[in-house]
Each structure stands twice: as structure tokens, then as C-alpha cells.
Amino acid sequence: SHPGLQTKLGEVLSYLLDLTNAGAVRMDMAHYAMKNHVNDAWLRPLGQRVLEEEPLEKILSKSKAEYPEAWFFAEAYEQKEGLLQQLGLNGTYDSYLYHSLVDERRPASEIINYLTRVPAEYLRNTIHYILNHDDPPGQMIANIMGPDEQMAAMAVLSAASAGNLLIYADQEKGFSRGKPNANWLRPAEVVETI
């Protein structure tokens, strides 16, 4: 919220974009930088003057003017993905499809309903995935779905949506990688042959 911090964030973005030849920047938990979150979580409880403008929009517009070819995308939750796209992000992760396919195993009719009721522009600017590196190993897709189910889920995502498909760390081969030590976790049938 502080103007000096906003300037510094802009400088960091410029530095990263310079390193990547104006490629891309991924923002982790970008919804926490939004005006409403900053106001509600920090400024109001501290009795400070609240933000009137979206700092992220200002920072992104300056970076986009400097690097017009750059691509900005973000992990976001709390159903803020569409708002972040409106602020200038080129893409946001779409966790609804991930949770629908992996955690909740929703029927195809619910997924089709989602894909038909959500604005096409939003879907074009989403990044779909079926593996989240932040999930605890017991909840990772390799422990929930077999390789055939994983490939089917990836096929559904890539065929059903106009958005981008994120394939993480050899996931297309049936592997998943956990945190924090990044050891490979293999599907049961691979482990049994070792």
C-alpha cells in the first residue's frame, strides 16, 4: 500500500522481465495484493487510511507499458481470478476444474455446466492444471488417480477449455513431484517393479 513499496514492486517486475527477455512473470497468491484484501487485513485493523485504487493495476500497467510483450499470470484463490484478469493479468490459474476433477470428482454434467456458464474471455485467460505442487503428498494426484485417469483428466482440460494447460514436472508420464524435498513420487505400479 505504501507508494515506496509499489515503486519497489515495479522495479522487481522490471528486473525479472529484463532477466527473461520480457517473457513472463508468475505472481504467487496475487489476490493478497488486491485493494480489498490489503484494506481489510491490514489497513483498517491498524487504523490506517484505506487504499482507493488498486495498486496491482497501477504496477501492471507500468510494467506492460515498459514490456508490452510480457505475460503476467498468477495463482489466485477465493474466486478472485476474474478480477485479477480485469486488473491486467494475462492469465490466472483456474482451481475450480482442478478441484472438480481431482478432489471432488464431480460428474461431467457439472463440469460442462461450468464451462458453458463462465464467460469465454475468462476461460481463454485461465491456466488449467491437475497437479498442484502445494498439495500434501497424500493428496497429490498420483496418489488419487492412476496414470490413465490422469491422462483422461488432462485430455478433458485441454479439449474442453480455450485456456492454457499447465503440465507440471513430467506429469504427462505419470509422475508427480512433492515439496519440500522434490523427491519423485511414482505411481504404485512403477514402485512395485523397482
Side-chain angles (χ1 to χ4, degrees):
S1 65
H2 189 278
L5 176 60
Q6 292 179 38
T7 299
K8 190 62 174 176
L9 286 173
E11 291 170 3
V12 169
L13 279 178
S14 291
Y15 175 76
L16 292 173
L17 290 167
D18 190 53
L19 284 177
T20 64
N21 294 315
V25 173
R26 176 191 180 270
M27 299 178 178
D28 197 39
M29 305 300 277
H31 59 286
Y32 286 145
M34 294 177 71
K35 172 182 72 172
N36 287 343
H37 177 79
V38 172
N39 286 342
D40 294 342
W42 297 99
L43 300 178
R44 282 190 185 98
L46 294 172
Q48 300 292 315
R49 184 173 53 92
V50 297
L51 296 173
E52 299 295 329
E53 297 178 354
E54 283 288 355
L56 192 54
E57 185 174 33
K58 180 179 174 183
I59 294 165
L60 285 172
S61 67
K62 184 174 184 280
S63 293
K64 285 182 165 203
E66 189 177 354
Y67 297 94
E69 299 298 317
W71 207 71
F72 298 86
F73 65 104
E75 171 189 41
Y77 299 102
E78 300 177 11
Q79 298 166 345
K80 304 290 188 210
E81 296 91 337
L83 293 172
L84 285 164
Q85 290 178 14
Q86 291 172 12
L87 293 178
L89 286 166
N90 300 91
T92 54
Y93 288 24
D94 181 58
S95 60
Y96 178 84
L97 285 176
Y98 167 72
H99 292 295
S100 295
L101 289 168
V102 178
D103 299 337
E104 299 156 7
R105 301 226 179 177
R106 292 178 188 251
S109 60
E110 286 187 35
I111 293 170
I112 291 168
N113 180 43
Y114 170 76
L115 292 170
T116 56
R117 71 179 164 78
V118 172
E121 185 65 22
Y122 168 77
L123 288 175
R124 270 193 292 282
N125 295 317
T126 55
I127 302 163
H128 305 286
Y129 59 95
I130 60 166
L131 176 66
N132 185 342
H133 65 275
D134 289 327
D135 285 341
Q139 294 176 10
M140 293 180 84
I141 194 164
N143 296 330
I144 297 169
M145 293 180 162
D148 291 341
E149 288 178 298
Q150 289 181 50
M151 295 227 197
M154 288 186 350
V156 166
L157 290 178
S158 61
S161 174
N164 303 285
L165 181 63
L166 173 65
I167 299 174
Y168 179 76
D170 286 336
Q171 179 184 6
E172 77 282 4
K173 298 175 188 170
F175 295 107
S176 63
R177 189 187 320 202
K179 281 176 41 177
N181 58 15
N183 288 329
W184 290 99
L185 299 174
R186 294 185 169 97
E189 59 272 7
V190 174
V191 174
E192 290 172 5
T193 62
I194 295 178

